[in-house]
Amino acid sequence: MVKWPICCSLLFLGIFSCNTGNQQEDQPLLFVPEGLEVSVWAESPLFFNPTNMDVDAKGRVWVTEGVNYRDFRNADGHKVQDKGDRVMILEDTNGDGKADASKVFVQDTLLRSPLGIAVLGNQIVVSCSPNIIIYTDEDGDDIPDSKEVFLTGFGGKDHDHGLHAGQLGPDGKWYFITGNAGPHKVEGKDGWTLRSGSVYNEFTPYSTENVPSQISDDGEIYNGGLVIRINPDGTGMEVVSHNFRNAFEVAVDSYGNMWQSDNDDQTASCRTTWLMEGSNAGYFSEKGNRTWQADRRPGQTIAEAHWHQHDPGVLPVGDVYGAGSPTGMVRIEGDELGEQFRGLLLSADAGRNIVFGYAPEVIGAGYPLQNRKAFVSSVDQDNTGYIWHQVEEDTRKWFRPSDVTVGTDGSLFIADWYDPIVGGHQMRDTVGEGKIYRIVPKGKTLTLPKIDYSTTEGQLAALKNPAVHVRAFAMQKLKEQGAAVLPELESMVKNEDNPFFRARAIWTLAGMGAQGIHSILPLLKDANQEIVLTTARALSANAPERLLVEALKLSKNGSPLIRRELALLLREEDWGKTSEIYKELIKAYDGTNPWYRNALGIGMKDNTETYYRDNIAAIDPAKWSPQIASLIWEWHPKAAIPALRARLENEALTTDERDLALETLAFIFEKEAVEAVKKAAEKEGALQEKAQWWLQFRKYNEWSAFLQDWEAPIVLPDAQPNLLALKAQLKDSLTNNEQKQLALAQLVENPSGRLHLALMGAEGALKDSNLDFSAVTQGEKRPSVLKVLRHYFGSEKAIDEEGVLSLSKDPVAGKVKAIQNCATCHKIESSGNEIGPDLSQIGHKMDYPTLVNAIVQPDAAIGFGSEAYLIALNNGAVLLGLLQAAGPVVTMLDFQGQRHIIPAEEVLTRKQLPISLMPGPEEMDLKAQDIADIAAFLIQSNTSN
């Protein structure tokens, strides 16, 4: 395990135009590992609001700006680029370690909040929903000569849950990642079309309805955020992993491993994950039509439910590290910073003011990422336990690392968005401030290498360069030479000590035809299993028929890592050619390794029924090994229903064994499975309650067709047809004003009637009316309802935010007030409800002024997934709350914390509101001092303190 003693590098922070002025000039700004030092390499006005970076062969840093990012949510006076956002080129022309020149490469009206850039030779690839745009600079004058919309149709325009950066992988293909702000409908150059959506919707001026369960041209359903892989010519698009929330960047290392970090629903469940090809990362339900809240089972922790970790077919989560807002990623593959940092995976988190470091270690069949460390931070080596309320205006917490990348000299660049606010809600920095930091070995001068792609020697040197796309372009140039450079590449594989260099040479050789393939075959016996892994992947990408020849031997002799990879790589091959290989892979499964199990599920997806009938069906179900029971859970083949029923009813088995059979049946969408569970629900015993829960849950989704006659203990809200009649009277153009006013008065008298009025206000049905609405808000005691009514029928009083910030504060008094007012909707340690985000660790994500702003102006920064909805039912009832599932069944968590599961045919209308469900201070009768005290209490990172 790598350990990095943390030291502080003293950076003197000048006075920024948006600085609160309290930062001490002699105070360390960034903490870095011992032996490294950090400096400000570039800052505004050389560029503004950096979202992503890449480095070219000259060592220059290219930056995408997001000045116009979600400007519809920013206050007047915020910096705006009327001609579109820009791509900037930054350069240190005199070698003094600081950028002194910047130029605009392109400013384009198509660029509104671009979130990704890749510089490959003379091509600049920019990711900006809905487009991937390739600008080409033919003559090297840093002005684009042509522009091509490479792909279009990604959702999430001007949204940080949209399209993110692309990277050219070592296999020569592009990898692009996008968040869950769909729908995504993207057609490749060969006509293959991706269709992806989910239940996630967020109100923006550009959004269209995001629809789940869409089918792509390969017949698959992809949900939420996803990673696509595509050839440089735009053909061969495929989804290699899906069902993220908002994974900001995918980093592909020289072994071909994919790494991502994913944001959460403000539940302290952010994750960093190694991705397997073909994987489902588990944010939404299998078809994307339910949120994790709708699927959460009794006894599950939030993190387990958040990523569906107890559902078959879901990728193991990796490192769940708590609160945060993850952004850029990169893997250090050279020794320029020091050999101890070789292989380090860096993951920036803007919310935590930190860049995490992982030393990925193979354990069994995967990379669990168990050794997270703080690599760079503006506040401490880790935020855990930090007492924020004492430094509520400390601008160190405005360090918002948006990206991290490696320069051609091996130095590390970190882009700083610099703002009190995290996420896609609102920017408080009005001038577009930003910085780029550079980290180098202490006392050592790193110099930019001269990259020469015109010679073999230069190409080979560039292949070993630490900058991702410098080496990727070198690989392209070497492949063009073909057999002429085979000896040099074979020498690199044989003699280099750095395994990443060896891996790059393997990929290059594999792309050179039969001679190159022949030269890498001996590496399938290499002592380094990650070199074997790379070789197998290179064969799969370039000579799949040869991998088939070698696969049977590897399945018998390979490590769990290699066997697991074979299960994935052979998934598209003919079963007649692979069945014996999969038999060997299954024989080697230990019954516990989650990556191995999930890989066998992915690899055998289309053949599990056949395998079960041929190899397992004859085994007495009572004698299944843990290995068999685990695989049947992962596969849940319908052919196994009789055996699973037998195990469920066999009281000689342990409760855990029977419970696993019950859970497996719950994921088989066949009538026979339903009948087995119904029988268990009727029999008294340890599993009766769980069986009843599954029936109740499944009645309103995948088992609805089989349980129409089964009465679930769920009832719809009380019917109130008279309210529908009163609404109709209000809308009827033939009704006179006196009659309408009377109908209005009757609706106002009824709690549900007031919700109907709120819905009519949201629909604009009363905007031209001259009725007297003054009584609508009177007497309403429900804060969330009162807020909606005031939005449409009254006025809202603002509290002086600066006045709150100027007050002295009492965290002890704030605890009492927080429990009284906030715990109705929020979890605070062990108290409260889970309607809104958990506030126990909100101090990890916000400083004091930002939290005050969130309380005073809850609509200025609505958390994704926290959008309010009004739903009217056919029976006259109406609900206000959070939408958790759509499709054939609608699930809503109402403002009082009650979950409603409603067949879609019972829904009359559904309306998303442009305001938060969270009441404002006026609705909760909070005074300025109350807000100051509550914020002072919550800003503590340990609210039990």
Side-chain angles (χ1 to χ4, degrees), residues 647-681:
R647 286 178 67 81
L648 176 59
E649 296 174 355
N650 187 346
E651 295 184 4
L653 298 179
T654 67
T655 300
D656 287 345
E657 289 172 322
R658 296 173 64 204
D659 188 20
L660 185 62
L662 171 63
E663 191 172 290
T664 308
L665 285 164
F667 285 90
I668 303 176
F669 309 141
E670 299 287 337
K671 183 177 181 179
E672 293 80 4
V674 178
E675 293 301 319
V677 176
K678 284 172 69 175
K679 185 174 181 181

Side-chain angles (χ1 to χ4, degrees), residues 22 41 60 119 141 153 162 172 179 195 200 253 437 504 559-561 581 585 610 731 738 823:
N22 73 316
W41 186 78
R60 302 180 302 179
V119 181
D141 63 353
R195 300 173 188 88
Y200 170 74
D253 66 23
Y437 298 99
R504 295 173 203 169
S559 69
L561 182 76
I581 299 169
L585 297 177
T610 300
K731 291 182 176 181
E738 183 178 349

Side-chain angles (χ1 to χ4, degrees), residues 510 513-514 517 521 538-551 569-570 573 577 581:
I517 294 296
L521 288 176
L539 289 173
S540 177
N542 295 278
E545 69 289 344
R546 188 57 203 241
L547 178 62
L548 267 176
V549 172
E550 304 293 334
L569 295 178
L570 300 178
E573 298 293 338
K577 298 178 181 179
I581 299 169

Side-chain angles (χ1 to χ4, degrees), residues 231 255 323 331 359 378 386 427 432 462 517 520 545 604 752 806 857-858:
N231 294 322
Y255 300 137
R331 194 168 188 189
S378 64
Y386 199 83
M427 290 188 286
I517 294 296
I520 68 172
E545 69 289 344
M604 294 187 60
S752 294
S806 68
Q857 300 185 54

Side-chain angles (χ1 to χ4, degrees), residues 266-555:
Q266 300 184 61
T267 60
S269 302
C270 293
R271 60 177 173 176
T272 305
T273 311
W274 165 70
L275 300 177
M276 296 195 302
E277 280 194 27
S279 59
N280 172 353
Y283 176 59
F284 292 106
S285 61
E286 186 178 10
K287 294 184 178 180
N289 56 352
R290 297 190 304 275
T291 66
W292 64 269
Q293 294 99 326
D295 282 0
R296 187 179 179 184
R297 301 182 219 161
Q300 285 187 335
T301 67
I302 287 178
E304 289 170 337
H306 201 292
W307 306 118
H308 284 86
Q309 284 301 286
H310 294 293
D311 285 16
V314 173
L315 178 74
V317 71
D319 176 41
V320 177
Y321 64 81
S325 297
T327 50
M329 299 192 79
V330 74
R331 194 168 188 189
I332 299 173
E333 298 189 355
D335 297 340
E336 292 83 359
L337 293 181
E339 189 175 347
Q340 69 270 33
F341 300 114
R342 182 202 291 176
L344 188 68
L345 176 69
L346 299 181
S347 178
D349 191 295
R352 293 278 287 270
N353 322 113
I354 203 166
V355 178
F356 291 118
Y358 297 86
E361 180 182 2
V362 176
I363 297 180
Y367 298 85
L369 297 176
Q370 297 174 342
N371 50 15
R372 167 174 35 92
K373 299 286 185 180
F375 182 73
V376 173
S377 175
S378 64
V379 291
D380 200 332
Q381 58 181 308
D382 199 343
N383 283 350
T384 302
Y386 199 83
I387 306 301
W388 296 113
H389 74 278
Q390 296 175 348
V391 288
E392 63 270 5
E393 295 181 352
D394 191 342
T395 52
R396 291 180 303 170
K397 285 196 70 177
W398 294 18
F399 171 63
R400 304 298 186 189
S402 57
D403 197 21
V404 55
T405 194
V406 183
T408 58
D409 59 357
S411 60
L412 191 68
F413 293 100
I414 300 174
D416 178 10
W417 174 266
Y418 195 77
D419 198 283
I421 293 285
V422 179
H425 311 304
Q426 182 190 48
M427 290 188 286
R428 295 182 70 189
D429 164 25
T430 60
V431 299
E433 186 65 65
K435 299 187 191 70
I436 294 175
Y437 298 99
R438 181 172 180 254
I439 296 176
V440 298
K442 185 178 292 184
K444 180 180 179 181
T445 301
L446 296 179
T447 57
L448 295 177
K450 302 290 186 183
I451 306 294
D452 182 5
Y453 291 122
S454 66
T455 68
T456 298
E457 182 181 6
Q459 293 168 11
L460 290 167
L463 186 63
K464 294 190 282 187
N465 194 271
V468 172
H469 289 115
V470 170
R471 64 181 183 247
F473 191 66
M475 190 179 293
Q476 287 186 343
K477 303 299 287 186
L478 287 164
K479 287 179 182 178
E480 291 173 4
Q481 290 205 59
V485 293
L486 282 172
E488 289 88 346
L489 290 168
E490 290 170 344
S491 176
M492 185 181 295
V493 171
K494 181 179 180 180
N495 299 317
E496 282 291 345
D497 292 329
N498 186 325
F500 293 105
F501 294 172
R502 298 181 68 203
R504 295 173 203 169
I506 290 168
W507 284 107
T508 311
L509 286 164
M512 291 181 169
Q515 285 183 280
I517 294 296
H518 179 75
S519 70
I520 68 172
L521 288 176
L523 297 170
L524 292 173
K525 299 180 180 179
D526 197 88
N528 184 333
Q529 63 177 326
E530 289 180 297
I531 291 297
V532 180
L533 176 72
T534 304
T535 306
R537 286 171 171 166
L539 289 173
S540 177
N542 295 278
E545 69 289 344
R546 188 57 203 241
L547 178 62
L548 267 176
V549 172
E550 304 293 334
L552 188 59
K553 287 182 288 185
L554 287 172
S555 68

